[in-house]
Amino acid sequence: MTADPARLDATIRGRVQAVGFRVFAAQAATALGLTGWVANLPDGAVRCVVEGPRPMLDRFLVDLRAGPGAARVDVIDEVWSVAVGDTDGFRIRSYAHGGD
């Protein structure tokens, strides 16, 4: 029995820009077979919208909390919902992107 896909919209706050966080998140998501995107936000945070099986998303959150070596994650705001299937693969976006 496979778990129904879920969607995680995570905003990561701390020292998360100019430290390779987006590349780190993309590599972690890809390794876990997740789809979605990650982008810097103008306020210094990073937003990540990702879909996949809940156990893989939980593992991804562990990775996000650790972050790359130069990062410092203070808090992750999580919004969970049902997957909508509007992504394929995983992409790094600029913060000029309007999100969903």
Side-chain angles (χ1 to χ4, degrees):
M1 176 183 210
T2 31
D4 289 333
R7 182 179 185 101
L8 169 64
D9 187 334
T11 302
I12 304 100
R13 301 186 187 285
R15 187 175 58 233
V16 293
Q17 289 192 14
V19 294
F21 203 95
R22 290 180 303 161
V23 171
F24 172 85
Q27 290 172 340
T30 301
L32 293 168
L34 303 172
T35 62
W37 55 267
V38 61
N40 286 339
L41 298 178
D43 68 358
V46 169
R47 182 177 176 207
C48 187
V49 177
V50 62
E51 293 187 351
R54 179 65 190 248
M56 296 296 100
L57 292 172
D58 289 336
R59 175 66 187 127
F60 182 64
L61 268 175
V62 170
D63 293 339
L64 290 181
R65 285 188 181 97
R72 184 193 74 245
V73 175
D74 293 335
V75 65
I76 299 178
D77 299 320
E78 304 169 30
V79 177
W80 291 91
S81 61
V82 175
V84 296
D86 63 349
T87 59
D88 61 340
F90 197 90
R91 299 193 180 12
I92 296 174
R93 295 182 176 174
S94 71
Y95 67 73
H97 186 274
D100 292 331

